[in-house]
Structure formats: structure tokens, C-alpha cells
Amino acid sequence: MLILFILPTLLLFLAWKKFKQPKPAKSIAGRHIVVTGGSSGIGKSVAVIAAQRGAHVTIIARNVDKLEEALIEIKKYCVNEEQMITKVSVDVANFEDIENNLCEIEEIVGPIYMLVNCAGMAICGRVEDFTKQQVKQLVDVNFLGSFYPVKAIVSKFKQRKEGIIVLTASQVALTGMYGYSVYSACKFALRGFAESLHMEVKNYNISVTLALPPDTDTPGFEIENKTKPVETKLISETGGLVKPEEVAKTLLDDALSGKFFSYVGFESYILTTLCVGMSPFASFLEVITQAVLLGPLRLVSAFYIMSFQNIVKKCHLERENKKED
Ligand SMILES: NC(=O)c1ccc[n+]([C@@H]2O[C@H](COP(=O)([O-])OP(=O)(O)OC[C@H]3O[C@@H](n4cnc5c(N)ncnc54)[C@H](OP(=O)(O)O)[C@@H]3O)[C@@H](O)[C@H]2O)c1
């Protein structure tokens, strides 16, 4: 039964990819790109690809040693001698610090053309297990840590009538999941922020892209895994693990062609289409494809939800049985 929906969906997805008229992607050669979280994982991969495409790149993170290591690595990918690769050690969740540092770095490297917010982190757990300090840390880095850099730069983008903003959310920005209560709430908040911001800046020739990476093989993901309840681990394992280079390339290409959502792979396409709601669209072809798929995909989503709920139920019963023993 499911195959009846999945097959046409796959065909529509492939047709849409083949026949959509992509907007010509903007070039970043000679432009200044700032990547928060640029010392590790997805952010570092974004910085490497930007260097390969001839951009001036500034990476932002807190740990100075990791920044220095990443800087040396990114410099190897530069394609000309004029390129400036710079690092800034600052906490993105501190508005005054991030604003001052972005001002200083513009004086040294030049006007920022693209801001890629990748700084973020996940801690998993059941609601009752979170400490107040962990909740604050997650909200600070995952929401304020993207809101503040944007707030610091958006007036300049508006004055210059150009700019590209990327916010890195997650698939759990579209659907909640066992163990992700705080992280998922922060990433949902980024979606609301991205949709509002998109409407505010569109007439200034500024684009906003919301990246929705699936599980990605990064140092951050390794740390996150250590905090996952067994239910979260089992549900996560039903999806695959992608490389940060793949997420970074897709994120850059989508942002440079002005797409609102950036996702990797067929499963992410299904989830994004299901949750498209009132989000901005790039073309009417995209809207028509989504309108056709939404109904049948709701049935597919019911299958996924039931299988996730089964995992949670099984774990619950096992726990209860252990208690009785
Ligand atoms: N990996 C995944 O499976 C996955 C999936 C979906 C979404 N994401 C999202 O993608 C983004 C990147 O994830 P990742 O897995 O590549 O993480 P990662 O490897 O842990 O890298 C995180 C980067 O952010 C920096 N950072 C963290 N807190 C910061 C702060 N307060 N101020 C400044 N910099 C800070 C880190 O450096 P310092 O610690 O030195 O500051 C590091 O450079 C995150 O927003 C994450 O939520 C990841």
C-alpha cells in the first residue's frame, strides 16, 4: 500500500529536481563570508568550500586552539593569494561581544556578504532530567546564538541592499522527537525566526535560508550521542548518517540560489514537504508539487509516527518489566 505513495513521490521528487529552473547561483569569489561554529563539523566544511570558491572567510567559535587548527586547514583550500582567512574567538550568545567583533572584522576583511550561522549544540534527555543550566545553555547557543549575529548585521545588509543569511536548524525543527524537547524547541524557534526575517528582508535583496541537516557525522554529533536515551538512539538509527561536506555543499548551493529550505536526501524532502505550511516558496512548480504530495504524504507520516511510537512503547514495557523483576 505504502509503495503506491512512495513511488509516485519519488518520481515527482526526481522530476522536480530535473526540470526545476534553478535560479543562477550567486558567486562568492572575493566576497566576505562569516561562519559561526566554523572551527568544527558542518561549519568548518562550509568554510572549506567557501575558501575553495575564492571567498574571504571568517570563522567564529570560542575555543582558540580549535580555531587555530581549523584556520590552518581552511587556508590550504584557498585558490588565490588575495584571500583572507580569519578567526574570531567569541561567544555567539553574547550580543555586545558578537556585535563589536563583527564590526572589527568588517574593517579588516571588508563588508560581510554572507552570514552562515552554524554554532549550535544538542543535549538529549527526558524533560524531567534537564537541569536549569542545561536548558539555558541550549536556548542561548541554539536560538540567541543565531538571533544575535543576525541582529548585529542585518541593518548593514539593508543599507547595502544585499546579503545572504543562513540559519542552521535541524530535522527536529519540523517534528518533535523523544529526548529532544529542549533542542527541538530551540530549532522550531529558528524556523519561526527565519520565516519572519524572510518577510522583513526580502525587499532589500537579502535572502534567508533555513538549513535542516539530518544526522551528520561531526564531533558535535558524537557528543550528542552520549546523552541520547535508548529510545532516541533507536529512532535516530532508522535514518542514516551523512557527511558534513555533503550538508555544507548543499547548504551553500541552496543559499546562493536563494532557496528558503535546505535539506539533504529523499527522507528530508518528504519531511520538509509535509511540514511546508506557510513557508516561503521559490516557484509555482514547487507549490504545485507540494500541493499534490501533501495529502498522500500525511499517510506516509502516520506510518513513521506509529513505528516511532512502537519503539517508545517497547522500551517503556522493557523498563516496567525490569522494575517488576
Ligand atoms: N551533526 C548533526 O547531526 C546535526 C544535525 C542537525 C543540525 N545540526 C546543527 O548543525 C550545527 C553544527 O553542528 P555540528 O554537528 O557541526 O557541531 P560541532 O561539530 O559541535 O561544531 C559546533 C561549532 O559551534 C561552535 N560553538 C558552539 N557553541 C558556541 C558558542 N556559544 N559561541 C560560539 N561558537 C560556538 C563550536 O566551537 P566552540 O565549542 O569552540 O565554541 C564549533 O565550532 C549546529 O547548529 C547543530 O545544532 C547538526
Side-chain angles (χ1 to χ4, degrees), residues 252-271:
L252 263 181
D253 288 343
D254 287 341
L256 292 173
S257 51
K259 274 180 72 178
F260 180 72
F261 286 124
S262 176
Y263 49 80
V264 175
F266 181 58
E267 275 196 346
S268 299
Y269 170 72
I270 291 188
L271 183 62

Side-chain angles (χ1 to χ4, degrees), residues 5-135:
F5 295 123
I6 291 173
L7 201 61
T9 306
L10 184 61
L11 290 175
L12 265 169
F13 171 66
L14 294 174
W16 180 71
K17 282 204 109 177
K18 189 162 170 49
F19 295 114
K20 74 176 173 163
Q21 289 289 321
K23 274 195 200 167
K26 292 175 178 165
S27 164
I28 46 171
R31 297 297 201 131
H32 183 189
I33 294 200
V34 170
V35 188
T36 77
S39 69
S40 172
I42 298 172
K44 189 168 82 179
S45 294
V46 170
V48 163
I49 300 172
Q52 285 171 329
R53 294 185 187 182
H56 304 297
V57 184
T58 299
I59 52 170
I60 293 180
R62 293 160 305 174
N63 185 300
V64 182
D65 294 339
K66 270 188 357 193
L67 272 170
E68 186 54 36
E69 254 176 56
L71 194 83
I72 294 168
E73 188 183 337
I74 296 160
K75 277 186 177 167
K76 290 185 194 149
Y77 292 91
C78 287
V79 288
N80 65 64
E81 285 176 1
E82 285 81 54
Q83 273 176 269
M84 281 186 270
I85 310 295
T86 323
K87 62 179 176 10
V88 176
S89 170
V90 62
D91 184 342
V92 283
N94 182 322
F95 178 65
E96 284 72 27
D97 282 357
I98 191 77
E99 188 180 40
N100 292 338
N101 277 285
L102 289 181
C103 271
E104 275 172 29
I105 205 71
E106 282 208 312
E107 277 166 23
I108 300 166
V109 182
I112 298 167
Y113 175 62
M114 182 171 188
L115 169 68
V116 182
N117 293 281
C118 275
M121 63 165 308
I123 303 173
C124 301
R126 280 171 285 273
V127 172
E128 61 273 27
D129 298 331
F130 279 99
T131 64
K132 262 166 46 182
Q133 196 256 337
Q134 283 175 325
V135 176

